[in-house]
Amino acid sequence: MIIDGVEIEDTFAEAFGMRATRLVVTSDSARWARIAGETATGFATSVIGCGAEAAIERDLRPNETPDGRPGVALLIFAMNRDGLAKVVRDRVGQCVLTCPGTACYGGIEGGEPLPLGRVLRYFGDGLESAKRIDGRRYWRIPVMDGEFLCEDTIGQQKAVGGGNFLILGRKPAPALAAAERAVAAMRALPGVIMPFPGGVARSGSKIGSRYKGLSASSNLAYGPTVKGAVKTALAPEIDAVLEIVIDGLSDEAVAQAMAVGIRAACAGGAGEILRISAGNYDGKLGAFQYHLRKLLT
């Protein structure tokens, strides 16, 4: 299969079941809402080393938020419900409660609720108060610029993590340009995030290592500088590989994002982007498989 002069490899991406929630963070200005969102989703590229995968899903206009202020929607993923509860508590407590002017609400209904305001309220040292509005309970926690308003519990749901594709290019610059096109296109879609820096990872990994105690190490088969030292997956003319990892609230959301992202990466890449591939574990580990050619048919 060829799209815009780029070969689509006959392979598949392998992804995993996760749990996820959406937070709605608001503030008096869009700038401070985004500062809170960026801080709360920092150090969240991979559950392997960070305990969570998270990013800003999109900016929210005042008419899209519970309190009529500008905000951001955050998606946070973890491997199970208890792990998700912990990372949400810690990230909101350390990064949103601390940020001037913010409030925090749930953005997903259903699932076994995650405690949020009910565990953060203790910061109020006995002067916190609860209020119920339209059947939802909120906590008002006194802070130095007034009050931090936070929903008592938030919803969570099954999700998918680790959808991916690889961009194989002649040189680093056009490979990065293709990745940027792909990320920009996917960010326009609801229910997905690309958790690595700028949505792009250069450090694709494999399971295991020569070094004791490491669960993952560099995917050397895709390393252009070590072609002569390993069993390489790269043709001689390929000198750059970048990976885009996609987490989504559903199987369908990940599939749609991958298709949109791959097409965007290929657009204008003829001659510089040589192949699109994907990472998998021979179908042995992940419950979800995304066959590239099928997605694009």
Side-chain angles (χ1 to χ4, degrees):
M1 175 182 280
I2 305 294
I3 292 181
D4 290 334
V6 179
E7 177 190 357
I8 308 300
E9 188 175 334
D10 188 11
T11 189
F12 64 94
E14 190 169 348
F16 304 85
M18 300 184 79
R19 306 298 298 194
T21 191
R22 178 187 284 120
L23 297 177
V24 173
V25 175
T26 67
S27 191
D28 295 326
S29 70
R31 174 174 176 265
W32 278 103
R34 178 157 275 272
I35 288 172
E38 289 174 346
T39 307
T41 57
F43 189 60
T45 56
S46 171
V47 290
I48 295 174
C50 308
E53 298 180 9
I56 293 176
E57 179 187 17
R58 67 184 184 95
D59 295 311
L60 298 172
R61 298 184 298 274
N63 64 356
E64 297 178 295
T65 67
D67 58 17
R69 302 190 300 167
V72 290
L74 316 179
L75 293 182
I76 303 178
F77 295 75
M79 293 308 298
N80 54 55
R81 185 259 179 198
D82 290 344
L84 184 61
K86 181 180 185 302
V87 298
V88 168
R89 177 201 67 195
D90 293 348
R91 288 170 183 271
V92 174
Q94 294 300 310
C95 306
V96 181
L97 182 153
T98 58
C99 187
T102 57
C104 187
Y105 310 93
I108 283 178
E109 302 290 341
E112 184 182 353
L114 302 177
L116 188 56
R118 68 173 55 178
V119 290
L120 296 179
R121 70 184 180 91
Y122 296 106
F123 186 72
D125 200 25
L127 293 182
E128 69 279 358
S129 61
K131 187 175 183 67
R132 190 174 293 275
I133 303 173
D134 296 330
R136 302 173 81 109
R137 194 182 195 201
Y138 303 88
W139 285 96
R140 300 166 61 185
I141 302 170
V143 289
M144 292 193 297
D145 70 349
E147 293 180 332
F148 174 61
L149 183 67
C150 186
E151 197 155 358
D152 182 53
T153 63
I154 58 173
Q156 52 90 24
Q157 67 175 66
K158 292 181 178 179
V160 179
N164 70 85
F165 60 91
L166 305 174
I167 299 169
L168 286 69
R170 289 188 186 276
K171 298 294 179 184
L176 181 56
E180 290 173 336
R181 291 194 299 271
V183 170
M186 291 186 289
R187 280 181 173 163
L189 301 174
V192 294
I193 59 168
M194 286 60 68
F196 280 89
V200 185
R202 68 173 183 173
S203 57
S205 62
K206 66 180 184 297
I207 293 176
S209 168
R210 297 180 183 183
Y211 297 103
K212 185 178 179 180
L214 287 182
S215 61
S217 59
S218 184
N219 193 352
L220 299 176
Y222 288 91
T225 63
V226 294
K227 290 176 187 174
V230 299
K231 184 179 179 181
T232 185
L234 304 180
E237 62 271 22
I238 293 173
D239 276 341
V241 181
L242 293 173
E243 181 178 13
I244 298 179
V245 175
I246 304 103
D247 296 339
L249 295 181
S250 68
D251 180 19
E252 296 77 15
V254 172
Q256 181 188 21
M258 286 182 61
V260 167
I262 290 170
R263 290 189 179 279
C266 293
E272 294 294 342
I273 305 305
L274 302 181
R275 183 156 51 102
I276 300 293
S277 187
N280 62 65
Y281 308 95
D282 298 322
K284 298 176 181 178
L285 295 178
F288 300 90
Q289 295 182 8
Y290 300 97
H291 292 261
L292 301 188
R293 293 184 178 181
K294 184 177 179 180
L295 289 176
L296 298 165
T297 300

